């Protein structure tokens, strides 16, 4: 049902590993686009998922990062270690992907569990026709909402279809409002004719190799508001001292203090997840774990929030 899209940076892979049991129990299917040359962290993450019976999709032809020029190392990893497991190949179809390239990869990974990720591809009609003529497996289809409109998606009816939106509007940390809309796809995906939905969590679709020193520190936390038809919103708790890139620990303490105040107000709608408990512990100890760790907790909170929502929904 839920397909969170990760770019495979270290803090994202660790978040997946630490959430593996939750992911399996909730039948979530993480999509990972590897961006680092070393595949050790990815391999460790995939093993943590398969060990608990979870599924995953790994993009074999990434658009970003160290593997964008060649898909061989990722492909060989999947073919060597994950045949017949719950880990399937994801074929990324962008505006730069030719029909020949798409068909070559579809032929190589013509098996159950393969996922076509539609992200700007320009010839859906021919691709759909060619796949049908070649008796291709029943590929799952993931559509990135900003790059695949309803007319495009019509060519892939009759196969599993997932719509992935980007609810995280990226801007400078200092410019974020306290709260804004995130998504309603967790509610409305059936009305879109979809079998599932996804998002880019609290990271967003825009990819960067890594920025410079942070002038402002922000903690991004999602919540579901029962007073707004269960729509999802996101808080941006940010620091006050934003003029220089110094003292990230002090800035984190400022942002964390605002988060704790809102939590303790009783009207935040934030679920008291394990990630939130970690934030509370960090506040009590006055400890700054590093910005990557903060992003990891934000991701884990998002996964826990959606897992809780779907559990409650399926149990009345």
């Amino acid at each position: 049902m839920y397909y969170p899209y990760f770019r495979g940076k270290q803090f994202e892979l660790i978040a997946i590993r630490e959430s593996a049991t939750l992911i399996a129990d909730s039948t979530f299917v993480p999509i990972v686009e590897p961006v680092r040359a070393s595949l050790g962290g990815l391999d460790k993450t995939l093993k943590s998922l398969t060990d608990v019976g979870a599924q995953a999709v790994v993009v074999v032809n990434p658009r970003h990062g160290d593997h964008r020029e060649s898909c061989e190392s990722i492909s060989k990893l999947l073919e060597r270690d994950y045949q017949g497991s719950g880990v399937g190949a994801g074929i990324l179809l962008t505006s730069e992907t030719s029909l020949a390239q798409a068909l070559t990869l579809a032929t190589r990974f013509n098996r159950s569990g393969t996922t076509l990720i539609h992200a700007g591809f320009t010839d859906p009609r021919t691709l759909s026709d060619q796949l049908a003529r070649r008796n291709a497996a029943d590929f799952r289809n993931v559509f990135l909402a900003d790059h695949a409109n309803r007319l495009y998606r019509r060519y892939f009816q009759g196969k599993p279809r997932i719509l992935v939106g980007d609810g995280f509007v990226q801007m400078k940390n200092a410019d974020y409002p306290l709260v804004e809309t995130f998504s309603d796809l967790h509610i409305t995906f059936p009305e879109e004719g979809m079998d599932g939905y996804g998002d880019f969590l609290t990271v967003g679709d825009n990819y960067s190799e890594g920025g410079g020193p942070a002038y402002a520190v922000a903690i991004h936390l999602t919540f579901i508001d029962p007073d707004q038809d269960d729509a999802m919103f996101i808080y941006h708790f940010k620091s006050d001292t934003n003029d220089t890139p110094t003292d990230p620990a002090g800035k984190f303490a400022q942002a964390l203090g605002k988060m704790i105040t809102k939590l303790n107000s009783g009207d935040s709608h934030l679920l008291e997840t394990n990630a939130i408990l970690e934030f509370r512990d960090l506040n009590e100890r006055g400890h700054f774990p590093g910005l990557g760790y903060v992003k990891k907790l934000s991701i884990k909170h998002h996964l826990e929030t959606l897992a809780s929502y779907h559990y409650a929904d399926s149990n009345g």
Side-chain angles (χ1 to χ4, degrees), residues 14-16 18-19 22 201-202 273-275 278 293 295-305:
I14 294 173
I16 296 172
E18 294 182 358
S19 305
L22 175 88
L201 303 107
T202 53
T273 60
N274 289 325
E278 280 204 60
Y293 196 98
K295 291 178 180 179
K296 181 198 75 170
L297 288 182
S298 177
I299 288 172
K300 290 177 66 176
H301 172 76
H302 184 70
L303 293 172
E304 289 184 76
T305 297

Side-chain angles (χ1 to χ4, degrees), residues 54-132:
Q55 298 183 47
V57 174
V58 178
V59 177
V60 295
N61 59 328
R63 169 168 40 184
H64 302 292
D66 298 327
H67 297 278
R68 60 185 180 274
E69 300 298 331
S70 174
C71 66
E72 282 308 304
S73 56
I74 301 171
S75 300
K76 288 178 180 177
L77 173 67
L78 296 187
E79 292 168 335
R80 183 186 69 239
D81 296 337
Y82 294 97
Q83 292 273 22
S85 71
V87 177
I91 300 171
L92 189 61
L93 305 174
T94 72
S95 59
E96 298 177 356
T97 307
S98 69
L99 178 63
Q101 290 171 326
L103 291 172
T104 296
L105 287 171
T107 300
R108 179 172 182 175
F109 295 98
N110 185 19
R111 59 184 69 98
S112 177
T114 296
T115 299
L116 301 180
I117 303 172
H118 303 269
F121 187 69
T122 57
D123 196 1
R125 179 190 303 220
T126 306
L127 176 61
S128 178
D129 290 345
Q130 288 290 328
L131 291 175

Side-chain angles (χ1 to χ4, degrees), residues 191-212:
E191 298 172 26
E192 297 286 342
M194 298 290 113
D195 302 292
Y197 74 99
D199 56 38
F200 292 88
L201 303 107
T202 53
V203 179
D205 186 17
N206 291 335
Y207 175 78
S208 63
E209 288 291 345

